[in-house]
Amino acid sequence: MKKAYNETWIENLHILNKAEHWAAKKLLTREQLDQAEKAFPQQFYRPGIFVKIGLFIFTLIACSFASGFISMFIIGDGGQENISVISLFCMAGFLFFLEFLIKKRGLYHSGTDNALLYAALGAAAIPILSLFQDLQVWQFCIIFFAITYAATLRYADLLTAAGSFLILILMLGDMMMKFPIGKAILPFGVMILSALVYLIVKKIKSSYYHDCRKLIEILALATFYLGGNYLVVREGNAMLNDLNLPFAPQIPFAQVFYFFTIGIPVAYIFFGLKKHDRVLLITGLLSLALSVYTYKHYFSPFTPAQELAIAGMAMIVLSAAVIKYLHTPKHGLSDEQEGKRKLANLEAILVAQHLGQTPGEDGNVEFGGGNFGGGGSGETY
């Protein structure tokens, strides 16, 4: 499918991001960074996060007003057919302005284009839900998967990418739940589908889908782990079979899920460190935390206070040991902080508001006044 955004600019944007990252680590000089900006130009309009949020909200409000204005002429008796026609008109209008602003204004995930895309998708969903109410869940999933997948291919939007994956999982679950054997093997079905999706998206090398690929990797790793987690399977099995008991009964092949609960996080962390894959590493650490909670939920002999104390001491000791071990880089790993904190400037602004100071050009706050350590400790302020 033809892509909506300028692919060359996106490639250049990724190159410039990498160059800025290297410059922040003193691997490139300011002159070299300037040369990179000239060699790889891009003219996307990409406002800051707060402006982006404002544009997103304002566009949604504008879409609501436009929908209301159109409905004044077509609403008629308020029947489903009339509402569907209004929705289709709105969808066409939102898509027109979306394409127009991308081409003429150079928008690239700047809030306005995201809001127009979601408004168009929402307008498209209304006639499907209202005119085809007899469809089953998996049939709706096929339709909405086709829509969100096409939107992802064209606009590389994170929300539609995540929606496509979750709709796929929902469709699998609904289809397997229709058969007794399907309920029994549902965890394995989720794990197999998640693994397949992960392997497929891992092969995508295009910068156009870089962020979508990362997000789908995270979701696939998460669902793969949750599909084999003992707590999720045991409690889910009780819920699906309407077993209203104080404690969910033991499940068949429990040892298999014990192994998955422990083995999957360990495998994530191992391969994350070995391949220097941050997504695998962080997902592994989070899933390991859920595995610890799973053990605590069923087998822990300690009180909550004792568990918190033990967990806190273990994390402090482990963190200190790892930092000391990696103080000198080993196996390509180091305890050095990677990249700058994106919210550092925001913190400086908040501190300045409370202290009445203005951040400097480097984002730091000057604690002015005083001749003895600052903060007004001298005779002058």
Side-chain angles (χ1 to χ4, degrees), residues 181-216:
I181 188 65
K183 288 184 180 180
I185 62 174
L186 180 60
F188 302 104
V190 172
M191 294 177 72
I192 292 172
L193 179 60
S194 301
L196 289 175
V197 171
Y198 180 81
L199 294 175
I200 291 172
V201 299
K202 197 71 177 172
K203 295 179 180 178
I204 299 175
K205 302 300 180 186
S206 172
S207 299
Y208 195 84
Y209 300 111
H210 176 269
D211 294 340
C212 293
R213 178 173 65 83
K214 289 292 183 185
L215 179 61
I216 297 300

Side-chain angles (χ1 to χ4, degrees), residues 259-317:
F259 173 76
F260 285 151
T261 304
I262 298 299
I264 292 174
V266 173
Y268 284 177
I269 295 172
F270 175 77
F271 286 108
L273 293 173
K274 183 178 180 181
K275 298 182 177 180
H276 300 177
D277 189 326
R278 187 180 291 272
V279 170
L280 264 177
L281 177 61
I282 294 177
T283 310
L285 292 173
L286 293 175
S287 55
L288 182 63
L290 183 55
S291 296
V292 172
Y293 176 78
T294 300
Y295 172 80
K296 167 196 164 304
H297 186 75
Y298 293 109
F299 309 111
S300 176
F302 302 108
T303 64
Q306 292 171 330
E307 291 166 352
L308 289 174
I310 294 172
M313 286 189 291
M315 291 179 67
I316 291 172
V317 171

Side-chain angles (χ1 to χ4, degrees), residues 231-370:
L231 171 67
V232 174
V233 174
R234 181 168 171 174
E235 299 298 326
N237 178 67
M239 183 178 69
L240 292 177
N241 291 286
D242 297 324
L243 301 176
N244 297 318
L245 301 173
F247 294 97
Q250 180 62 292
I251 55 176
F253 307 107
Q255 290 77 11
V256 174
F257 295 103
Y258 293 158
F259 173 76
F260 285 151
T261 304
I262 298 299
I264 292 174
V266 173
Y268 284 177
I269 295 172
F270 175 77
F271 286 108
L273 293 173
K274 183 178 180 181
K275 298 182 177 180
H276 300 177
D277 189 326
R278 187 180 291 272
V279 170
L280 264 177
L281 177 61
I282 294 177
T283 310
L285 292 173
L286 293 175
S287 55
L288 182 63
L290 183 55
S291 296
V292 172
Y293 176 78
T294 300
Y295 172 80
K296 167 196 164 304
H297 186 75
Y298 293 109
F299 309 111
S300 176
F302 302 108
T303 64
Q306 292 171 330
E307 291 166 352
L308 289 174
I310 294 172
M313 286 189 291
M315 291 179 67
I316 291 172
V317 171
L318 181 62
S319 300
V322 172
I323 290 173
K324 183 177 181 181
Y325 177 72
L326 295 177
H327 190 64
T328 301
K330 296 181 178 65
H331 314 294
L333 300 173
S334 169
D335 71 324
E336 184 180 354
Q337 183 179 359
E338 179 75 6
K340 62 182 180 180
R341 294 182 301 142
K342 295 181 179 179
L343 297 180
N345 290 337
L346 175 61
E347 293 173 11
I349 292 172
L350 292 175
V351 171
Q353 285 182 342
H354 283 283
L355 298 179
Q357 297 292 328
T358 302
E361 293 182 355
D362 56 355
N364 297 323
V365 177
E366 295 292 339
F367 290 88

Side-chain angles (χ1 to χ4, degrees), residues 56-69:
F56 182 85
I57 295 173
F58 176 78
T59 306
L60 287 182
I61 294 173
C63 291
S64 301
F65 276 111
S67 303
F69 181 76

